[in-house]
Amino acid sequence: MRTSPDVQELLSIVAETFRTDLLPHIPPAQRYTALMIANALGIVQRELAGSDEAGHAMLAALALLYGEDADDSLSGADLRQRVEALQHRLCIEIAAGDFDHHGQDVLMECLEEIVQARLGIANPKLLRG
Amino acid sequence: MGALIDGESRPRLESWLAGATGATRVSVADEGTLGGGAISLNLAVTLDIDGGPQAGRHACVLRAQPGGGAAASGMKASISKAQEFAVLRAAFGAGVAAPEPIAACGDPAVLGADFYIMRRAEGIGAGHKVVKADQPQRGLARELGRQLGRLHKAGPDTPGLEDLPVPAASPALDCVHAYRDWLGDLALRDAVLAWGLRWLEIHAPPPGDLVLCHRDYRTGNYLVKDGGLTAILDWEFAGFSDPMEDLGWFCARSWRFGRHDREAGGLAGREDFYAGYEETSGRRVDPQAVAYWETAAYMRWAAIAVLQGRRHTSGEEPSLELALTGRMLPEIELDLLRHIRGLGLTASAPAAVGAEPSGDADEERVA
């Protein structure tokens, strides 16, 4: 059963209305708070719309590091769990010193892909900046 | 946060202050909360002191540890208000432009929270305003270097600092352990943080001088009036460490407020800041060590952002600002990775770290 408008559509019009109708009229003393609200709404919008996309980018980077095939069919919670499991494995290997002497370039590539994917949601203005 | 000074607490505060300042009578006017208090509560107060050595009217700040909040939810990086007051006294005594400390109170019966009172300084502090200048602020960068050099003359032997913890073996490894502790299980779930911690472990410099560090010495934490420094604020993270820690923190990208071409706090090139530091500290700046501590700066800021986010998610201190600080993690991690990558590229020429072109040349390149 689909509710219409759905949560993304509702959020989208909330954010838009807040930015165009309210933000310009907020008194200076409350402007910082209002800007934080606009920022938070933007993060929620991007996460709702793009969390699977970010997950696939992270999975692809991790799969490449491990010489595995990324599973493109995963989505939602399954995708998140797969990314978390691979990151956990990587964390343990890093802490154990597996990348102390070699593989740092490949590791750095992978970590940058992961960060870029998360930045796409948290603060896309900084992407490839 | 509820009002700290009300009809009930004011007489207690005034009579305690009279005792603490040797006055016959003190009256306190409360002028409201000051900004910049993510961890502490800052109240603008004016004291009218009758009698005693400090008689007169004084514009002051009352700085309190709000009840339970930060301490309860694990803002582990900060020290107690009594320790902060001792640090302020040591810094002020060493000729550092710290606000003049007036009195500290550890008796919860007075205001229900630990607090101290210091003289209020004038000026603007907001980072994005401080860095707004057409030309690099070379004199200000140099003066901030001088101030830091003076602060770093204090150490574990300085009278009044007996209650500050001394790192066990190596300040660098002590920091790594602290960051890992603050991050908790996130150090095993976020590969960027895991790599940052490991990198700091492998490259940790051997223990050297141990000095009193501010540990949040950065643009945004000092006041500027008419282009000149008036006061260095926010001493709640102070502790003993490697002197290069404060220099790395000051120069980290996180505190340039968009003026990335001016590597010393968004003000000017590093050379001005370093030169000022060398004038007063009696110590040479080691650019390679600063680069190590800049990596540590990103890790520390990442760990603090995680702790701040957790203060919100724990339910103890619901706050949009704290929640959004937690969401800053990826951008701090990007700075961390960029910095480590940059070190790799220049590893054979460490001297290049401190010798970037002048701010003017950088400006043209960016534009």
Side-chain angles (χ1 to χ4, degrees):
Chain A
M1 188 186 71
R2 186 183 181 281
T3 311
S4 184
D6 70 12
V7 65
Q8 289 191 42
E9 289 160 342
L10 201 53
L11 181 63
S12 174
I13 193 64
V14 166
E16 176 68 20
T17 308
F18 181 77
R19 281 191 206 104
T20 49
D21 293 357
L22 284 186
L23 198 50
H25 307 292
I26 303 267
Q30 277 78 41
R31 188 160 167 85
Y32 181 61
T33 304
L35 288 172
M36 286 197 296
I37 290 174
N39 183 17
L41 286 173
I43 293 174
V44 177
Q45 272 184 295
R46 290 188 294 272
E47 185 155 321
L48 277 177
S51 66
D52 271 10
E53 196 189 330
H56 281 296
M58 290 161 81
L59 184 58
L62 287 157
L64 191 68
L65 179 75
Y66 284 120
E68 290 175 6
D69 287 332
D71 187 348
D72 294 336
S73 70
L74 292 174
S75 67
D78 293 338
L79 175 60
R80 202 172 59 239
Q81 274 169 18
R82 181 77 187 123
V83 171
E84 281 173 4
L86 284 171
Q87 273 216 75
H88 181 56
R89 173 179 161 190
L90 183 53
C91 287
I92 290 170
E93 292 174 359
I94 288 170
D98 290 5
F99 292 89
D100 288 1
H101 304 292
H102 42 79
Q104 285 182 17
D105 287 344
V106 188
L107 174 68
M108 290 291 283
E109 284 290 330
C110 171
L111 297 181
E112 272 183 40
E113 292 294 332
I114 289 175
V115 167
Q116 303 270 4
R118 289 165 52 205
L119 262 183
I121 288 166
N123 192 350
K125 276 182 294 187
L126 298 178
L127 277 179
R128 309 276 175 205
Chain B
M1 271 170 264
L4 211 54
I5 303 176
D6 54 23
E8 213 183 304
S9 65
R10 186 186 310 272
R12 290 198 303 264
L13 174 64
E14 291 177 340
S15 79
W16 172 81
L17 258 172
T21 58
T24 47
R25 187 177 169 279
V26 175
S27 68
V28 178
D30 168 13
E31 282 130 29
T33 311
L34 295 163
I39 292 169
S40 304
L41 175 66
N42 297 314
L43 273 184
V45 293
T46 295
L47 311 184
D48 274 301
I49 301 182
D50 294 339
Q54 305 198 65
R57 171 167 287 192
H58 306 278
C60 291
V61 175
L62 187 155
R63 195 160 153 84
Q65 185 79 61
S73 54
M75 197 56 232
K76 299 169 184 172
S78 60
I79 52 178
S80 73
K81 283 289 159 274
Q83 288 173 322
E84 197 179 315
F85 187 73
V87 165
L88 208 58
R89 270 215 294 225
F92 190 76
V96 176
E100 182 188 350
I102 308 281
C105 177
D107 178 1
V110 178
L111 287 187
D114 284 359
F115 68 92
Y116 67 83
I117 293 177
M118 59 187 170
R119 201 175 291 282
R120 199 188 320 166
E122 287 182 56
I124 55 159
H128 64 277
K129 287 184 187 159
V130 169
V131 302
K132 208 179 250 180
D134 295 336
Q135 293 299 314
Q137 303 181 71
R138 301 186 58 180
L140 183 57
R142 196 172 184 117
E143 178 56 22
L144 282 155
R146 285 191 201 105
Q147 294 285 338
L148 193 59
R150 258 176 234 136
L151 176 68
H152 286 180
K153 294 263 192 187
D157 298 336
T158 303
L161 296 179
E162 296 80 9
D163 285 347
L164 273 192
V166 176
S170 146
L173 292 178
D174 235 48
C175 285
V176 180
H177 295 152
Y179 308 156
R180 183 170 281 128
D181 180 38
W182 300 345
L183 288 168
D185 74 328
L186 198 58
L188 281 176
R189 291 190 286 115
D190 183 321
V192 180
L193 298 178
W195 177 235
L197 289 171
R198 185 64 189 171
W199 191 96
L200 289 175
E201 230 164 42
I202 306 170
H203 296 89
D209 295 343
L210 202 59
V211 303
L212 179 60
C213 287
H214 181 286
R215 283 195 151 155
D216 202 5
Y217 198 77
R218 63 168 175 92
T219 297
N221 278 343
Y222 53 82
L223 296 180
V224 177
K225 197 184 172 195
D226 303 326
L229 179 75
T230 57
I232 295 153
L233 309 175
D234 283 341
W235 295 80
E236 65 210 358
F237 292 117
F240 299 119
S241 188
D242 185 316
M244 297 301 122
E245 180 178 354
D246 273 340
L247 283 88
W249 185 262
F250 189 86
C251 294
R253 275 177 76 94
S254 320
W255 321 123
R256 295 180 200 158
F257 295 89
R259 291 264 21 170
H260 292 301
D261 52 325
R262 298 175 186 170
E263 296 190 11
L267 300 176
R270 289 175 194 253
E271 64 274 13
D272 292 307
F273 180 62
Y274 287 2
Y277 184 78
E278 291 184 351
E279 272 175 44
T280 55
S281 67
R283 179 183 292 117
R284 300 290 295 177
V285 172
D286 176 352
Q288 247 182 316
V290 177
Y292 172 85
W293 285 104
E294 197 173 319
T295 310
Y298 299 119
M299 272 309 299
R300 181 183 176 87
W301 174 212
I304 288 175
V306 169
L307 288 179
Q308 298 285 54
R310 227 174 260 157
R311 281 169 66 190
H312 169 79
T313 53
S314 70
E316 287 170 35
E317 272 178 276
S319 151
L320 179 55
E321 188 166 24
L322 291 175
L324 284 172
T325 304
R327 282 278 182 155
M328 285 180 74
L329 191 56
E331 65 186 81
I332 304 167
E333 291 180 342
L334 179 69
D335 286 341
L336 170 77
L337 291 176
R338 259 188 203 163
H339 176 69
I340 291 182
R341 175 154 287 197
L343 289 178
L345 292 173
T346 57
S348 55
V353 176
E356 81 269 27
S358 78
D360 291 347
D362 272 352
E363 220 171 303
E364 283 166 21
R365 200 176 59 209
V366 172

